Amino acid sequence: MVCSSDWLATMTILPKRVDDQTQLSHESIREAEEIFNSHLKRVGLKHTGQRDAILRAFLETHDHLSTEDLHHLVQRSDPSIGFTTVYRTLKLFSDAASPARSPSTTASPATSTSTTGAAIITWSAPNVAALSSFFAGDRELEKEIGNKHHYITTRHTFQIYGVCGECQKKKPARRGSRL
Amino acid sequence: MVCSSDWLATMTILPKRVDDQTQLSHESIREAEEIFNSHLKRVGLKHTGQRDAILRAFLETHDHLSTEDLHHLVQRSDPSIGFTTVYRTLKLFSDAASPARSPSTTASPATSTSTTGAAIITWSAPNVAALSSFFAGDRELEKEIGNKHHYITTRHTFQIYGVCGECQKKKPARRGSRL
DNA sequence: ATTGCTGCAAACGATTTGCATGAGG
DNA sequence: CCTCATGCAAATCGTTTGCAGCAAT
């Protein structure tokens, strides 16, 4: 089983909304690839076929999936890709994800919470009111809790609030910033 | 590191509010012990000194703690208690936890969300508007994400919503129930 | 060419299980 | 007494790391 933290980190890379019922559009996927690739360039890493394949596979399902699932998925397009590479690439995704990359969504935490079917990380940044990012919560976890209590879980939310580096240098506990 | 799911499940056993700054009252602890013990009886398990000790230790901190931390804590009252027992007992806790056990809190999910410093599981039950239960989120997770982005994380929330067995037999997607 | 990437296998940490002994009902 | 609980050590799971060869810049 995959501990949430991996996915939390991973999913923040790009506007993958797990609660969207539809597949990501081609533009979205292209956009995501660009984000990732430019990140690679920025930090002097290489753009390889495997990384492409893994990113694609990752984007092309809106399902919550485990690392193992992703590995299976990836192997459909390239059976030679190993487990290790999937792990390493996922880590890269999470590196590529950064609060700096702020989508248009500037919803307040409160607003974000109201989306259905998925968990959301909301970051409070100095300029960007809220980076609403995207998290494929742990299906396992949800099911596990649900089954134990004979509940059908309908959705869950996960939010982490924090103060960014910039803000930390300023006054502690600013009243304005909605933390 | 402890995967969230363990704690999630575990913490639901009784009204342990991680966001409360104060210790649990003696009555609360007694209440919790009763819940646990009667669960043990119900399923034909035994009430042992170790289980008592672990439950106490578990209740007496409102800190988020790892299994390892709990083990240390437990060993203060009985150094002979082993790691394995802690693990097994935690699992028992989560078995004992059930939506049926509904505390007086009938806050709506929305209300629950506004508490500070902790994550909360909110269950929607047929009669009981919301079983607000209690989750010691993963400190590790929070820090991990925070560090990665040079954020100081201030708090996080985790909520799972679900439909209980009773409700499932009724109309699907009831408008009234605040899911 | 140089540097980083890959896959494999071995290492690792957290959790679980098998088993013989010990304690609770 | 009989059953379950315990502690230990060994097994297992998911993930990470070291390394030799391969691929991208």
Side-chain angles (χ1 to χ4, degrees):
Chain A
M1 214 241 272
V2 179
C3 199
S4 327
S5 50
D6 301 338
W7 288 107
L8 256 173
T10 302
M11 292 292 177
T12 58
I13 183 185
L14 75 160
K16 172 165 178 163
R17 299 286 297 256
V18 204
D19 52 321
D20 289 342
Q21 289 306 315
T22 55
Q23 301 291 103
L24 279 182
S25 67
H26 278 242
E27 309 117 56
S28 298
I29 294 188
R30 184 151 288 290
E31 186 197 359
E33 285 172 344
E34 232 160 82
I35 296 168
F36 185 51
N37 291 337
S38 61
H39 166 77
L40 291 181
K41 226 169 224 166
R42 198 180 324 124
V43 288
L45 299 179
K46 282 166 183 171
H47 171 219
T48 70
Q50 287 96 328
R51 287 178 179 167
D52 251 19
I54 295 170
L55 181 54
R56 293 258 168 97
F58 175 70
L59 294 173
E60 279 169 4
T61 46
H62 70 275
D63 283 341
H64 309 263
L65 30 69
S66 66
T67 310
E68 200 177 358
D69 294 336
L70 186 56
H71 182 224
H72 283 319
L73 224 66
V74 158
Q75 291 207 317
R76 279 198 230 154
S77 57
D78 181 347
S80 71
I81 294 180
F83 229 105
T84 317
T85 306
V86 174
Y87 274 105
R88 284 193 277 228
T89 308
L90 283 175
K91 204 158 244 170
L92 273 183
F93 289 175
S94 86
D95 294 341
S98 135
R101 139 131 202 86
S102 60
S104 47
T105 350
T106 41
S108 74
T111 317
S112 311
T113 315
S114 67
T115 59
T116 58
I120 293 162
I121 313 174
T122 314
W123 292 96
S124 169
N127 307 318
V128 191
L131 171 82
S132 84
S133 272
F134 336 90
F135 160 53
D138 227 347
R139 248 283 180 267
E140 309 286 348
L141 170 58
E142 213 181 285
K143 272 196 306 199
E144 189 177 309
I145 306 267
N147 290 340
K148 199 179 297 287
H149 303 303
H150 310 293
Y151 268 57
I152 293 177
T153 56
T154 51
R155 67 168 196 274
H156 66 251
T157 62
F158 190 109
Q159 302 179 283
I160 301 184
Y161 304 98
V163 187
C164 76
E166 298 277 297
C167 288
Q168 286 162 34
K169 291 172 197 154
K170 301 176 183 178
K171 294 178 169 64
R174 297 254 311 278
R175 197 139 313 281
S177 58
R178 178 90 49 256
L179 284 186
Chain B
M1 210 243 274
V2 178
C3 199
S4 326
S5 50
D6 301 337
W7 288 106
L8 255 173
T10 301
M11 293 291 177
T12 56
I13 183 186
L14 74 162
K16 172 164 179 164
R17 298 289 295 257
V18 206
D19 52 322
D20 289 342
Q21 288 309 312
T22 56
Q23 302 290 104
L24 278 182
S25 68
H26 277 242
E27 308 116 59
S28 296
I29 293 189
R30 183 152 287 291
E31 187 196 359
E33 285 172 345
E34 233 161 80
I35 295 167
F36 185 50
N37 291 338
S38 63
H39 167 78
L40 290 181
K41 223 169 225 168
R42 200 181 321 124
V43 290
L45 299 179
K46 283 166 183 171
H47 170 217
T48 70
Q50 289 95 326
R51 287 178 180 167
D52 250 19
I54 295 168
L55 181 54
R56 293 258 169 97
F58 175 70
L59 293 174
E60 280 169 2
T61 46
H62 70 275
D63 284 343
H64 309 265
L65 29 68
S66 65
T67 309
E68 200 178 356
D69 294 335
L70 185 57
H71 182 226
H72 283 318
L73 224 64
V74 158
Q75 291 207 316
R76 280 198 231 156
S77 57
D78 182 347
S80 71
I81 295 180
F83 229 106
T84 318
T85 306
V86 174
Y87 273 107
R88 284 192 277 228
T89 307
L90 282 175
K91 204 159 242 170
L92 274 182
F93 288 175
S94 86
D95 294 340
S98 134
R101 138 128 206 87
S102 59
S104 46
T105 352
T106 41
S108 76
T111 318
S112 312
T113 315
S114 66
T115 59
T116 57
I120 293 162
I121 314 174
T122 313
W123 292 97
S124 169
N127 305 319
V128 193
L131 172 84
S132 82
S133 271
F134 332 92
F135 159 54
D138 226 348
R139 250 279 180 275
E140 308 286 349
L141 169 59
E142 212 180 286
K143 273 196 304 197
E144 190 178 310
I145 306 268
N147 290 341
K148 200 181 295 289
H149 302 303
H150 310 293
Y151 268 56
I152 292 177
T153 56
T154 52
R155 70 168 194 272
H156 65 252
T157 62
F158 189 109
Q159 302 179 282
I160 300 183
Y161 303 97
V163 187
C164 76
E166 297 278 295
C167 288
Q168 286 162 35
K169 292 171 194 155
K170 300 177 181 175
K171 295 176 165 69
R174 298 257 310 279
R175 199 137 313 278
S177 56
R178 180 87 54 256
L179 283 188

